[in-house]
Amino acid sequence: QVQLVESGGGSVQAGGSLRLSCAASGRTFTVYHMGWFRQVPGKDREFVAAITGTSGGTYYADSVKGRFTISRDNAKNTMYLQLNRLAPEDTAVYYCAAAISGRSYIPGLTTSYPYWGQGTQVTVSS
C-alpha cells in the first residue's frame, strides 16, 4: 500500500507558475510509476504527465508539453509537477497517482493506477 498527499495548488494569473508536490509513504518509492492527472467538474479525469520508477522516463499530454515538467526525488519519496505558462484551461483539481512497476502499465490510463491522492486545486485566472 502507498499513501499519496498532494500539495502546492493555488490561484495564479495566466502566465504564472506553480509547483505541485506529491509525497508518498508506504512501500519503497522506486517501485512505483507515478502520474499526474487533472479533472474539472463534469469531465473525465485527464492525463497530464507520468514518470517511471527507477529509469525516470517521462510522458506528457500534448496540451502540457513544453510548459509542465514532471520529476521525482526518490530519496524524499516525492514527485513534483512544475507548471509554467499557466492558462485558464489548466484550471482543475490535480491528482497524483501511483502504479506498481512490473505490472501492466500504460502511463495515460487511469486504470493503470490503483493508488490516488486526494487532489489539489489549481485555478488560473485570465
Side-chain angles (χ1 to χ4, degrees):
Q1 294 288 336
V2 63
Q3 291 76 46
L4 304 172
V5 179
E6 302 98 334
S7 61
S11 297
V12 296
Q13 290 190 325
S17 298
L18 286 171
R19 188 174 84 154
L20 307 183
S21 299
C22 174
S25 60
R27 291 177 61 181
T28 304
F29 188 56
T30 52
V31 306
Y32 296 105
H33 305 311
M34 302 293 294
W36 287 99
F37 290 76
R38 64 188 182 186
Q39 190 170 26
V40 298
K43 291 192 175 182
D44 292 337
R45 199 162 290 189
E46 174 190 35
F47 171 70
V48 175
I51 186 166
T52 58
T54 52
S55 67
T58 57
Y59 305 85
Y60 293 95
D62 288 342
S63 59
V64 307
K65 277 181 185 176
R67 299 189 300 124
F68 293 6
T69 303
I70 190 170
S71 62
R72 63 191 294 162
D73 185 336
N74 291 333
K76 295 182 178 180
N77 288 359
T78 302
M79 173 180 65
Y80 304 97
L81 185 68
Q82 179 67 41
L83 294 72
N84 295 330
R85 291 188 283 133
L86 282 161
E89 53 265 36
D90 295 317
T91 295
V93 176
Y94 284 70
Y95 297 89
C96 72
I100 299 174
S101 63
R103 300 183 181 179
S104 178
Y105 176 66
I106 299 176
L109 289 184
T110 58
T111 52
S112 290
Y113 301 87
Y115 307 108
W116 292 84
Q118 82 288 350
T120 187
Q121 176 71 46
V122 171
T123 302
V124 185
S125 58
S126 58

